[in-house]
Amino acid sequence: MTALRALWSEMQDTCTSLGLMLSVVLLAGLARVVARQQQLHRPMAHAFVLEFLATLQLCCCTHELLLLSEQEPAHPTWPLTLIYFFTLVHGLTLVGTSSNPCGVMMQMMLGGMSPEMGAVRLLAQLIGALGSRYCIGALWSLGLTKYHVSERSFACKNPIQVDLPKAVIVEALCSFIFHSALLNFQEVRPKLRIHLLAALITFLVYAGGSLTGAVFNPALALSLHFKCFDEAFLQFFIVYWLAPSLGRLALS
């Protein structure tokens, strides 16, 4: 009986977390609709708001996914399934944004984006990444599940489990593979492309997650590990900012 109660409690917490993530996606989607209606004649402001909302959505959901994955570290199938599902959700809802500084850099290098627009999008990603920490802290402070403790979002949990050279190789390789796929999948039908990218991201997280977390996104890394950047800036700058950028630059 006690085991059944514990299982029911776990299921309630998981459903609450899923509901929280879907609520974030829904609210961000509504905000995007309003932004598109109000800022059609101001492309810079429009791009800023959309990129900010996209980064905020991605980071908030990833914070919650990371929390869920920590509860069952010996059974990664369920977290990986959620990663695949929410990658699909992000792919469908965040069309026209990158939520990744490396993606902005790729578009600028290919001539698809002006330096001014690139700077606006990078600023939006920075603010969205930092803002997500405070949003998730506020949500966790409500205590919706037993795992929701606001202090968790501000604590440093170092995900780097290998030495610095290996960590750099992992993040650079993940970034290289991901952005190479982005380039090569451009001619694939959109519906199929989203599934292929979701499967690829899930595989990369599975392969490199236990080594560095397999983030390969400087904005997401800043949101997830901001306190660690404060305590060991050089190491985290090299692994989570420089390495993914080098992986992207290797394609040029």
Side-chain angles (χ1 to χ4, degrees):
M1 194 69 176
T2 303
L4 287 175
R5 288 178 179 175
L7 179 61
W8 176 247
S9 177
E10 291 290 337
M11 291 178 61
Q12 284 183 312
D13 287 341
T14 299
C15 290
T16 300
S17 290
L18 292 175
L20 182 61
M21 287 186 281
L22 291 174
S23 297
V24 168
V25 172
L26 178 61
L27 290 173
L30 291 174
R32 281 192 294 272
V33 171
V34 174
R36 289 191 177 99
Q37 293 176 343
Q38 300 296 324
Q39 301 182 14
L40 291 177
H41 303 295
R42 290 179 288 176
M44 287 288 187
H46 187 215
F48 178 90
V49 172
L50 293 183
E51 199 69 50
F52 166 79
L53 291 171
T55 306
L56 188 73
Q57 173 182 315
L58 174 66
C59 293
C60 285
C61 289
T62 306
H63 274 283
E64 195 68 26
L65 283 172
L66 186 61
L67 181 65
L68 284 174
S69 68
E70 291 174 355
Q71 311 317 318
E72 293 288 344
H75 302 87
T77 304
W78 175 237
L80 288 173
T81 302
L82 291 178
I83 289 171
Y84 179 81
F85 173 75
F86 276 95
T87 302
L88 287 179
V89 171
H90 296 322
L92 291 169
T93 59
L94 304 183
V95 177
T97 60
S98 66
S99 309
N100 188 336
C102 294
V104 173
M105 181 173 62
M106 180 173 69
Q107 293 183 55
M108 292 174 63
M109 293 180 65
L110 294 174
M113 184 182 298
S114 68
E116 294 80 8
M117 181 61 77
V120 167
R121 288 182 179 270
L122 289 173
L123 178 62
Q125 290 172 2
L126 174 63
I127 297 175
L130 295 177
S132 68
R133 291 181 54 79
Y134 294 96
C135 287
I136 207 69
L139 290 171
W140 285 356
S141 68
L142 299 176
L144 299 176
T145 76
K146 63 184 177 183
Y147 305 115
H148 284 170
V149 181
S150 60
E151 289 76 12
R152 290 180 65 99
S153 64
F154 297 101
C156 172
K157 296 189 68 175
N158 193 335
I160 302 175
Q161 303 300 318
V162 293
D163 55 39
L164 183 60
K166 290 180 181 178
V168 169
I169 291 172
V170 170
E171 287 295 316
L173 188 58
C174 286
S175 181
F176 175 83
I177 293 173
F178 174 68
H179 287 97
S180 177
L182 279 179
L183 290 173
N184 289 290
F185 290 169
Q186 286 182 352
E187 303 302 322
V188 179
R189 289 185 296 110
K191 290 183 179 180
L192 177 59
R193 181 170 66 241
I194 292 174
H195 283 277
L196 291 174
L197 289 174
L200 177 62
I201 290 173
T202 304
F203 169 75
L204 292 175
V205 171
Y206 173 75
S210 61
L211 304 176
T212 64
V215 182
F216 53 95
N217 181 335
L220 181 58
L222 183 65
S223 178
L224 295 177
H225 309 302
F226 180 78
K227 190 64 177 177
C228 297
F229 274 93
D230 184 43
E231 296 177 4
F233 176 78
L234 184 59
Q235 180 188 29
F236 277 74
F237 172 80
I238 293 173
V239 173
Y240 293 112
W241 286 2
L242 185 59
S245 300
L246 290 176
R248 168 60 197 94
L249 288 172
L251 291 172
S252 58

